[in-house]
């Protein structure tokens, strides 16, 4: 094992100058689409049929299109903040969401934003642990029920599979940074298309077998108006959770080569990604609701547990697990960078923090080992796995995460940074529209947060 000096000069957030000197940007519109699709088509797509079931045939699809439009507008605003002072030619780059807030709104705002950024990245990790475990458990149940005819006697619970997924992430988390996982994003994106197509196809087949579409205009009936209100709030939260990739947009944009200008490429990639994901969301959500009606499950694929072609359902669940292995890293790597760069800034002389070692094991390629990376990232994965085991409530967890992070990261900060970058004067038409957009987003986010917290409390008490 050979010691190497780190030679690392860092700031509390991602160091733009360091990145420009040491990172070769080779990304294209298609690698950006792969990153976005990997981050967006994840656990959220599995909850959309349930969400449409709460909102009904009119409210459900319209809500998906509404959030798609908000996400696209937000991505356009945010992509213009990557360079400053000019969005295309400005000499100052922002290599992370926090870096962009720090540049355009100052250090105080960036520290406030850091709370939401890191909570969101951490929350996505928890959600992916829960979802991957559900899919692994579904594979086990399917095979066991086919062999024994009684899934009640089958093997292990979700906690066991959460531990397996966590062990995989401990190993993958040693990948140094975001620029080293393009291959993982491409593989995960392929998997996401595979299980989205399978889920959609199974739903279409179920509708055909039924001979009619289930569901109604008002959605699943409830015993009281207040119960319906909370379920609608959770449904809005699940749909909101399914879309925003704002927290990783700047990191993705920082991988792009130029020319053309990075914001032009990013807007094109965002448009392609939102159109593709919206198409899949509408198909999976609507056909899923049409297939199951009032019995629509919270996770679409669990509704096909006893499907006669169980191997196909097993394959779809396997695709979900592979996809979430990559998606976990897409959302975790920015948080790793934020924390580790801050520690390097605070402790520049610490060998534990800054020194790396080149390690060569028999039959394996050489890799770089850093003790900070090894300990912090292992502890991080262990904590997300532990929380997922304590609160394994799929739909409610998605709703709470959306309620906490959707407004600040997808609406408030993109709007504020865009206003500052463009020096837009108060009470002009553009200023009024953006402020109205921000206020509506705040009210929707608050509503989903309250409803989803109520859902978790009710689930835990019951």
């Amino acid at each position: 094992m050979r010691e190497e000096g780190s030679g690392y000069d860092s700031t509390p957030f991602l160091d733009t100058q360091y990145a420009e000197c040491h990172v070769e940007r080779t990304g294209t519109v298609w690698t950006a689409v792969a990153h976005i699709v990997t981050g967006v088509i994840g656990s959220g797509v599995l909850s959309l049929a349930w969400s449409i079931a709460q909102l009904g045939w009119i409210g459900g699809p319209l809500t998906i299109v509404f959030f798609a439009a908000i996400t696209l507008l937000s991505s356009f605003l945010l992509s213009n903040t990557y360079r400053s002072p000019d969005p295309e030619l400005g000499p100052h780059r922002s290599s992370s969401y926090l870096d962009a807030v720090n540049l355009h709104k100052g250090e105080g705002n960036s520290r406030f934003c850091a709370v939401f950024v890191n909570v969101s990245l951490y929350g996505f990790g928890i959600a992916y642990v829960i979802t991957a475990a559900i899919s692994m458990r579904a594979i086990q149940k399917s095979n066991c029920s086919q062999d024994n005819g009684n899934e009640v006697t089958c093997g292990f619970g979700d906690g066991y599979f959460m531990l397996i997924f966590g062990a995989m992430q401990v190993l993958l988390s040693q990948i140094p940074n975001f620029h080293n996982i393009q291959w993982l994003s491409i593989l995960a994106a392929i998997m996401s298309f595979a299980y989205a197509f399978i889920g959609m196809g199974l739903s279409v087949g179920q509708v055909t077998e039924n001979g009619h579409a289930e569901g109604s205009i008002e959605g699943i009936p409830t015993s009281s108006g207040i119960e319906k209100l909370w379920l609608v709030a959770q449904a809005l939260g699940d749909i909101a959770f399914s879309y925003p990739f704002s927290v990783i947009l700047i990191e993705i944009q920082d991988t792009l080569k130029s020319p053309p200008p990075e914001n032009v490429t990013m807007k094109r990639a965002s448009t392609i990604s939102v159109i593709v994901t919206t198409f899949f969301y509408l198909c999976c959500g609507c056909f899923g609701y049409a297939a199951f009606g009032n019995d629509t499950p919270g996770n679409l694929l669990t509704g096909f547990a006893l499907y006669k072609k169980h191997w196909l359902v097993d394959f779809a669940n396997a695709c979900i697990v592979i996809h979430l292995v990559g998606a976990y890293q897409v959302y975790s790597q920015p948080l790793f960078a934020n924390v580790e760069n801050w520690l390097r800034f605070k402790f520049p002389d610490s060998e534990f923090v800054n020194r790396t070692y080149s390690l060569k094991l028999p039959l394996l390629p050489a890799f770089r080992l850093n003790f900070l990376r090894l300990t912090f990232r292992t502890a991080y994965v262990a904590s997300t796995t532990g929380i997922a085991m304590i609160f394994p409530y799929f739909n409610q967890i998605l709703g709470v995460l959306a309620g906490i992070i959707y407004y600040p990261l997808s609406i408030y900060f993109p709007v504020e940074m865009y206003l500052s970058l463009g020096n837009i004067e108060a009470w002009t038409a553009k200023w009024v529209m953006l402020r109205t957009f921000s206020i509506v987003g705040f009210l929707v986010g608050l509503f989903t947060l309250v409803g989803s917290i109520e859902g978790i409390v009710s689930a835990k008490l019951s």
Side-chain angles (χ1 to χ4, degrees), residues 18-59:
Y18 177 84
E20 289 201 40
C21 293
H22 292 77
V23 175
E24 181 181 0
R25 296 177 176 86
T26 59
T28 65
V29 63
W30 297 113
T31 62
V33 168
H35 280 313
I36 294 170
V37 170
T38 300
V40 174
I41 299 185
S43 56
V45 69
L46 303 174
S47 70
L48 291 177
W50 181 88
S51 299
I52 291 179
Q54 311 310 316
L55 300 168
W57 273 120
I58 295 178

Side-chain angles (χ1 to χ4, degrees), residues 146-380:
Q146 294 296 325
D147 295 335
N148 304 328
N150 181 12
E151 67 178 38
V152 175
T153 62
C154 295
F156 305 100
D158 290 345
Y160 174 81
F161 295 104
M162 290 180 187
L163 291 175
I164 293 177
F165 185 80
M168 289 189 289
Q169 293 304 331
V170 167
L171 296 176
L172 288 172
S173 292
Q174 298 310 307
I175 296 174
N177 57 53
F178 201 82
H179 297 270
N180 297 110
I181 62 172
Q182 285 190 356
W183 65 271
L184 191 58
S185 283
I186 292 171
L187 174 64
I190 294 171
M191 294 297 101
S192 67
F193 280 116
Y195 72 71
F197 270 120
I198 292 172
M200 183 169 58
L202 290 173
S203 299
V204 171
Q206 186 66 46
V207 173
T208 303
E209 183 177 326
N210 294 341
H212 64 278
E214 300 283 352
S216 62
I217 298 297
E218 68 275 8
I220 296 176
T222 58
S223 58
S224 66
I226 192 65
E227 182 183 355
K228 184 69 173 181
L229 185 67
W230 296 138
L231 289 174
V232 167
Q234 292 177 39
L236 292 177
D238 285 3
I239 295 173
F241 178 87
S242 302
Y243 266 111
F245 54 93
S246 301
V247 70
I248 58 171
L249 185 144
I250 296 295
E251 279 87 352
I252 295 172
Q253 192 165 342
D254 193 45
T255 68
L256 300 177
K257 62 182 179 182
S258 62
E262 297 89 349
N263 69 325
V264 173
T265 302
M266 198 67 215
K267 288 178 182 178
R268 184 184 174 198
S270 298
T271 302
I272 294 171
S273 301
V274 169
I275 290 174
V276 169
T277 54
T278 301
F279 170 77
F280 278 111
Y281 284 1
L282 287 171
C283 289
C284 289
C286 292
F287 280 118
Y289 181 40
F292 294 105
N294 292 344
D295 297 321
T296 302
N299 182 326
L300 177 61
L301 285 178
T302 61
F304 299 101
L306 300 178
Y307 186 66
K308 56 186 177 181
K309 295 183 179 179
H310 67 96
W311 61 267
L312 183 60
V313 181
D314 291 349
F315 177 72
N317 278 302
C319 290
I320 292 171
V321 175
I322 296 172
H323 171 259
L324 294 180
V325 167
Y328 187 102
Q329 288 301 312
V330 168
Y331 279 96
S332 297
Q333 286 288 341
L335 187 146
F336 295 158
N338 290 336
V339 174
E340 291 169 7
N341 285 339
W342 180 80
L343 289 172
R344 291 184 179 109
F345 173 77
K346 295 292 289 184
F347 305 101
D349 300 323
S350 170
E351 291 192 5
F352 177 84
V353 171
N354 293 289
R355 191 168 298 279
T356 58
Y357 303 88
S358 181
L359 185 63
K360 179 69 174 74
L361 298 176
L363 304 178
L364 293 175
F367 63 94
R368 293 165 64 88
L369 176 67
N370 173 268
F371 286 115
L372 169 65
R373 182 190 307 152
L374 178 64
T375 55
F376 166 66
R377 298 187 182 191
T378 300
Y380 171 90

Side-chain angles (χ1 to χ4, degrees), residues 69-81:
I70 290 179
T71 300
L72 193 58
L73 174 58
S74 173
S75 67
F76 279 20
L77 296 177
L78 198 55
S79 63
N80 283 332
T81 67

